[in-house]
């Protein structure tokens, strides 16, 4: 009797736990402990971090500009071609060079379409040469 109750309790708990895991929006720091900076392969990072889910929150963290370093920024590019070419002409500035400090800049993946991110610092060199860009294609939660 006691065993039966325990097993049922466990199954219920496991069910609730699995539901909780998939339904809770996640907070993901872009680049992990490296943050958002030149010299990191974000394509690789995104590949290892995917799948992304709807309402996941991406956090871009980067240091303030200083005498010795250029701070990045975050742009949202309109499509794959602009992303490939690092063409910022119709890109949208999400976060300027000071907005990644402290808690960082937050972006919620709240649309079911690819979001193309890139840094436009140094006239686009961070994007074209440092490949400081990635895209995330959020999907629906399985439940
Ligand atoms: C970045 O990572 C991707 C995916 O792992 C890989 O295909 C690509 O060659 C890497 N780029 C560089 C410059 O290392
Ligand atoms: C960056 O954006 C913040 C918030 O909108 C603003 O207060 C700040 O002046 C901007 N900094 C620069 C360098 O544009």
């Amino acid at each position: 009797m006691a065993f039966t109750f325990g097993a049922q309790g466990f199954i219920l708990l496991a069910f609730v736990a699995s539901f909780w895991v998939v339904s809770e929006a996640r907070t993901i720091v872009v680049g992990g402990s490296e943050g958002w900076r030149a010299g990191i392969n974000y394509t690789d990072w995104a590949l290892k971090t995917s799948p992304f889910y709807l309402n996941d929150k991406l956090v871009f963290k980067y240091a303030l500009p200083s005498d010795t370093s250029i701070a990045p920024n975050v742009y949202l590019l309109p499509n794959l071609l602009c992303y490939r070419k690092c063409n910022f002409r119709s890109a949208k500035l999400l976060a300027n060079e000071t907005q990644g400090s402290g808690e960082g800049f937050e972006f919620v993946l709240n649309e079911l379409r690819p979001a193309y991110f890139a840094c436009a610092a140094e006239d686009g060199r961070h994007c074209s040469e440092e490949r400081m860009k990635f895209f995330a294609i959020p999907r629906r939660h399985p439940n």
Side-chain angles (χ1 to χ4, degrees), residues 70-125:
I70 292 160
N73 50 36
V74 187
Y75 276 83
L76 189 67
L77 296 160
N79 55 49
L80 184 60
L81 189 64
C82 291
Y83 172 81
R84 282 220 183 111
K85 303 233 180 240
C86 291
N87 177 344
F88 289 93
R89 245 171 286 159
S90 47
K92 182 185 169 201
L93 176 68
L94 295 178
N96 68 26
E97 59 262 50
T98 62
Q99 287 173 293
S101 67
E103 295 298 297
F105 169 78
E106 294 179 358
F107 183 92
V108 178
L109 293 170
N110 58 5
E111 288 181 68
L112 280 172
R113 60 186 172 101
Y116 303 98
F117 301 99
C119 173
E122 291 192 79
D123 292 327
R125 203 189 62 82

Side-chain angles (χ1 to χ4, degrees), residues 17-25 53 141-143:
S18 68
F19 178 77
W20 186 252
V21 167
V22 293
S23 60
E24 197 186 21
Y53 291 101
H141 288 282
N143 60 321

Side-chain angles (χ1 to χ4, degrees), residues 5 36 50 58-59 88 110-111 115 131 133 141 143:
F5 177 79
W36 183 237
S50 63
L58 299 181
V59 184
F88 289 93
N110 58 5
E111 288 181 68
R131 294 188 190 81
K133 59 177 175 178
H141 288 282
N143 60 321

Side-chain angles (χ1 to χ4, degrees), residues 40-48 129-131:
I40 303 294
N41 185 340
Y42 289 97
T43 302
D44 190 51
W45 172 82
L47 211 64
K48 286 173 179 156
E129 285 176 39
E130 305 276 359
R131 294 188 190 81

